[in-house]
Amino acid sequence: MRRLAPMLLAALAVLAAACEKKTQPAPTEGAQTAQQGQPATPAPGGDAPAGSDVILLGQVGALTGGQATFGISTRNGIEMAIKEANAAGGVNGKKLAIRVYDNQSKPEEAAQAATRLITQDKVVLILGDVASSNSLAMAEKAQAAGVPMITPSSTNPTVTEKGDFIFRICFIDPFQGFVMAKFAREDLKLSKVAVLQDNKSAYSIGLTDVFNRKFTEMGGKVATTESYSQGDTDYRAQLTAIRKTQPDGIYVPGYYSEVGIIARQAREVGLKVPLMGGDGWDSEKLFELGGTAIQGSYFSNHYSPDNPDPRVQKFIADYKAAYGAVPDALAALGFDAARVAIESLKRAKDLTGPSVRDAIAQTKDFPGVAGTITLDNKRNAVKSAVVLKVGDGKTQYVTTINP
Amino acid sequence: MAQLLQHLINGLAAGTIYALVALGYTMVYGVLKLINFAHGDVMMVGVYMGYATAFALGREVRGSLLGVAIIFAVAMLGCGLLGFLIERFAYRPLREKPRLTALITAIGISFALSYGFQLDIGFLPGASPRAFPEVIEPKEWIVIGDRDVVVWNWQVISLAIAVALMVGLQYLVFRTRFGRAMRAVSWDHRVAALMGIPTDRVIALTFMLSSALAAGAGLLYAIKDTSVSPLMGLYVGLKAFVAAVIGGIGHVPGAVVGALVLGLVEEFVVGYAASTWRDAVAFGFLILVLLVKPGGLFGRVAAEKV
């Protein structure tokens, strides 16, 4: 009996851990902000499953964890689009609702949340995620179930290669790697750069590959490629090794939570050259984590809040009124993705998976706030990218680079 | 050569902080034969206490010796209290139960703290990492050549603090009445109680001491890496535990040597090979030490009392 007690306790602990995970995802009802810990079953009143007078969409995003600002910005953008659509009469007389689950910045949680949206909530369409590793896990589930999925901002090429139900409304990594290589070579006139990649992230590795190849093709030299793992906090060893090669720029295609700290430590070991990165940098947290060290660095992005286009400025004003902040690119892409989805639902013959898929595939010259969206035959959007410079607490538009 | 020297300095700086965390594991293990897996998370809570204190004190805190002292004092006292509460309510009721029971509770407390702190309600900080304020203004103390080798003030300060704490702890354990009581409790707490030693009080004080130490170490870590996040305790705690085992768990100087060795091994692996290899090499090194010398570098293999 004495030996049994600890084993029972262990079993209980495992069970408790398992239960805890299941209750984590927080659904959002209607177009309200997410309420933590609400039951997953549809709430009565206005939010019934598809087939009645409400069309239910699903979103999986990182609301907690290392990429939390990504999921929250995307959710805000999607909510705005749905509110606008509902105010304008909904889709063919039906109102729209969205259910949001948190993937805690982890692929395994993303897959579980996608399965739940498909089997329990029976959504007509899934929006998400930002991080490519999470979208890949979700895409597998969505493709197998024949539910269309639109990722607003996953840039890894393999995401849409999962199948014909998976779409994206942003450009892909090879293009971002190319944009930064071109900018570094032609605008900044750099000849020797070092690369510091996150080798736990498909996104970072993808950008590094293309950047290294293009930068070399354009006559530059990649002095060294060092790597770190997501969640690290001490990068001095890598930066010391980079410093030895005396580069005139460093490409860091990672996410903001690590990049901010990397910038501080790079300055500390004596690297004064500009850092360069991709859209994974785009978060207000970057300014807090990077402080003055990150100022003067560049990253490629989907949109710039400086864009004078009235459509963009109206979006920014509306977003500020609703959420009290300047929308980042992820909010803009969330907004665009939801609007592409809504327009497609209006055009679809019916609300079954294949019909919605065909309607999305026909998206052409759609006026989004983050550029005009035309989907190619590989279900990727063909768009231009902007390069932004990090300033004191905000970014500054530098140039636009076309495919 | 310059690069080697720089890696050596960086590795020592990382190692000293592991050492302070490892000392907490070793003390509690020495007295209770309990691996306190919540130790790293107590450290994380201490860092957030320091973070909150720094903001309460305002911007002037940077570079002010009094400010730094207040931040360390608040975090260390707060964590001492937390250590007391954890011992009183999570471990003491289970003391006469098999040792595995307390180990599982320790893991439970660890997860409760690290995931609880990711919630975004009330005083809890939420999941995103935050920039830790520069409470010690970074200064380059020794610069060789064209910044080929740089020694920072905080590196020297944390080394000095770690050595002072180690010496102090060694003195406390072997030269004071409280230390004698600790060693007696560690030998056999039932017999120690029969000899008139207040075992409950000795154990509670040991926990408070190790938790306060963890808070101090955590603050040095946050100052070094300029960030704080709810999961930092799991990561640093595991590394410090490995360091304590390498040195011989229960052995005070062993924990420090183990931590310095681990810090250096990690730094060299990342500097000369790749960061992907770091954890594999660190844990491989642990396995190697345990194969060759099962008690750790300084420990003795004690026969289990039957």
Side-chain angles (χ1 to χ4, degrees):
Chain A
M1 202 48 215
R2 279 183 62 182
R3 265 187 227 138
L4 203 68
M7 289 174 77
L8 264 175
L9 257 172
L12 269 175
V14 169
L15 264 176
C19 292
E20 183 216 31
K21 272 193 173 169
K22 287 216 174 90
T23 51
Q24 280 279 331
T28 296
E29 307 296 345
Q32 293 155 4
T33 47
Q35 299 296 309
Q36 300 283 333
Q38 277 191 7
T41 45
D47 189 28
S52 64
D53 56 346
V54 166
I55 300 175
L56 186 64
L57 309 180
Q59 186 206 339
V60 181
L63 304 179
T64 60
Q67 300 141 12
T69 70
F70 291 171
I72 293 167
S73 286
T74 309
R75 184 197 66 200
N76 293 349
I78 294 173
E79 270 176 16
M80 258 180 71
I82 288 181
K83 268 188 202 159
E84 278 181 17
N86 281 340
V91 171
N92 305 331
K94 293 184 183 181
K95 293 280 178 204
L96 290 158
I98 181 129
R99 176 151 297 153
V100 184
Y101 288 127
D102 177 15
N103 63 30
Q104 301 170 27
S105 309
K106 294 178 203 156
E108 58 273 19
E109 294 289 336
Q112 205 185 34
T115 305
R116 198 156 158 187
L117 284 174
I118 294 162
T119 56
Q120 286 183 22
D121 303 323
K122 304 208 187 308
V123 296
V124 297
L125 185 148
I126 298 176
L127 296 165
D129 179 47
V130 176
S132 295
S133 313
N134 299 338
S135 289
L136 281 167
M138 290 162 56
E140 210 148 275
K141 305 290 175 193
Q143 179 66 29
V147 174
M149 167 177 148
I150 304 177
T151 166
S153 37
S154 280
T155 45
N156 189 290
T158 51
V159 173
T160 44
E161 286 166 13
K162 286 280 173 197
D164 59 350
F165 280 87
I166 317 299
F167 300 87
R168 93 176 92 218
I169 57 141
C170 55
F171 48 66
I172 55 175
D173 284 341
F175 178 60
Q176 265 202 102
F178 159 79
V179 165
M180 227 353 123
K182 191 171 177 212
F183 178 74
R185 197 78 192 100
E186 291 175 4
D187 293 65
L188 297 178
K189 312 253 183 264
L190 305 182
S191 54
K192 186 160 85 171
V193 297
V195 178
L196 184 55
Q197 68 168 359
D198 173 356
N199 61 13
K200 261 194 197 164
S201 134
Y203 162 78
S204 186
I205 295 169
L207 258 67
T208 301
D209 286 349
V210 180
F211 178 86
N212 285 1
R213 200 172 63 240
K214 292 289 174 190
F215 192 73
T216 315
E217 276 173 21
M218 294 173 193
K221 183 170 179 283
V222 178
T224 177
T225 302
E226 299 285 326
S227 54
Y228 63 91
S229 304
Q230 228 166 74
D232 283 359
T233 52
D234 190 340
Y235 310 92
R236 290 182 181 81
Q238 294 95 317
L239 291 166
T240 303
I242 285 177
R243 187 176 178 275
K244 205 188 64 170
T245 66
Q246 298 182 312
D248 44 23
I250 309 171
Y251 190 50
V252 193
Y255 294 127
Y256 63 90
S257 44
E258 281 90 16
V259 169
I261 304 168
I262 289 173
R264 280 181 194 250
Q265 294 180 4
R267 304 311 176 215
E268 185 191 293
V269 305
L271 284 160
K272 304 285 183 207
V273 297
L275 305 186
M276 299 166 285
D279 59 338
W281 284 28
D282 191 24
S283 163
E284 285 204 334
K285 284 265 165 197
L286 182 73
F287 306 118
E288 183 204 324
L289 289 167
T292 51
I294 194 75
Q295 289 176 24
S297 297
Y298 301 90
F299 65 99
S300 54
N301 207 356
H302 304 270
Y303 112 119
S304 159
D306 298 341
N307 189 334
D309 187 328
R311 202 168 58 225
V312 177
Q313 289 307 322
K314 180 183 182 305
F315 166 71
I316 292 172
D318 291 350
Y319 190 94
K320 266 189 189 157
Y323 304 104
V326 175
D328 53 21
L330 303 167
L333 287 168
F335 182 72
D336 282 357
R339 284 181 58 227
V340 166
I342 293 162
E343 288 306 313
S344 304
L345 289 173
K346 283 183 186 162
R347 281 187 280 111
K349 276 204 313 284
D350 50 61
L351 293 181
T352 59
S355 309
V356 176
R357 173 198 59 190
D358 294 343
I360 300 171
Q362 286 155 12
T363 301
K364 197 162 178 281
D365 297 329
F366 182 86
V369 293
T372 306
I373 299 161
T374 299
L375 293 175
D376 65 10
N377 56 4
K378 285 179 177 158
R379 299 168 301 283
N380 298 322
V382 183
K383 294 162 86 175
S384 57
V386 296
V387 174
L388 303 179
K389 185 176 185 177
V390 184
D392 184 11
K394 61 179 195 289
T395 55
Q396 188 188 336
Y397 171 81
V398 180
T399 181
T400 301
I401 295 183
N402 293 311
Chain B
M1 184 57 209
Q3 202 193 348
L4 175 79
L5 202 59
Q6 185 69 63
H7 282 315
L8 206 67
I9 292 162
N10 293 348
L12 281 177
T16 45
I17 291 168
Y18 285 157
L20 288 176
V21 188
L23 283 175
Y25 275 108
T26 267
M27 273 170 68
V28 168
Y29 184 83
V31 170
L32 272 188
K33 299 283 175 287
L34 164 72
I35 310 274
N36 180 18
F37 272 115
H39 191 63
D41 301 287
V42 170
M43 178 200 89
M44 176 274 295
V45 176
V47 178
Y48 273 108
M49 286 177 181
Y51 179 87
T53 313
F55 273 92
L57 290 174
R59 285 258 160 239
E60 306 80 58
V61 72
R62 181 172 157 157
S64 128
L65 204 62
L66 180 69
V68 175
I70 292 173
I71 289 168
F72 270 78
V74 169
M76 290 176 80
L77 288 174
C79 267
L81 182 67
L82 180 68
F84 172 79
L85 292 176
I86 290 175
E87 194 277 328
R88 180 66 189 81
F89 294 105
Y91 298 147
R92 192 180 295 182
L94 300 171
R95 201 171 293 152
E96 301 305 323
K97 298 281 187 297
R99 227 168 258 152
L100 190 60
T101 321
L103 188 75
I104 292 165
T105 321
I107 295 173
I109 301 251
S110 162
F111 282 173
L113 288 176
S114 56
Y115 287 94
F117 264 64
Q118 288 196 49
L119 299 176
D120 207 352
I121 39 172
F123 67 93
L124 297 170
S128 287
R130 283 156 187 250
F132 196 82
E134 282 177 343
V135 291
I136 298 178
E137 191 170 2
K139 281 202 188 81
E140 298 163 23
W141 274 7
I142 305 168
V143 180
I144 301 174
D146 177 25
R147 294 181 51 91
D148 290 325
V149 180
V150 180
V151 179
W152 290 81
N153 56 351
W154 52 261
Q155 290 174 324
V156 180
I157 292 169
S158 46
L159 182 68
I161 294 179
V163 170
L165 284 169
M166 189 194 91
V167 171
L169 202 58
Q170 191 74 348
Y171 177 82
L172 186 82
V173 173
F174 288 101
R175 293 282 184 276
T176 63
R177 275 170 63 90
F178 173 64
R180 200 186 304 160
M182 263 173 86
R183 282 179 289 142
V185 173
S186 142
W187 188 255
D188 189 324
H189 72 94
R190 286 188 200 84
V191 178
L194 290 177
M195 297 297 123
I197 293 170
T199 47
D200 276 350
R201 204 184 303 161
V202 170
I203 290 170
L205 268 170
T206 308
F207 263 92
M208 291 170 74
L209 207 58
S210 90
S211 302
L213 211 57
L219 287 177
L220 291 173
Y221 188 86
I223 290 167
K224 171 171 97 72
D225 286 357
T226 68
S227 77
V228 45
S229 75
L231 288 177
M232 69 187 291
L234 287 178
Y235 176 79
V236 184
L238 186 64
K239 285 299 169 57
F241 169 64
V242 169
V245 174
I246 288 177
I249 192 147
H251 193 274
V252 170
V256 176
V257 173
L260 292 181
V261 168
L262 188 72
L264 286 172
V265 166
E266 287 195 355
E267 176 77 16
F268 284 129
V269 170
V270 178
Y272 290 111
S275 73
T276 341
W277 294 16
R278 184 185 53 200
D279 293 351
V281 171
F283 288 100
F285 186 69
L286 170 72
I287 293 168
L288 190 73
V289 169
L290 292 181
L291 281 176
V292 178
K293 219 168 167 302
L297 292 175
F298 291 84
R300 273 170 309 205
V301 182
E304 192 70 21
K305 276 174 281 182
V306 192

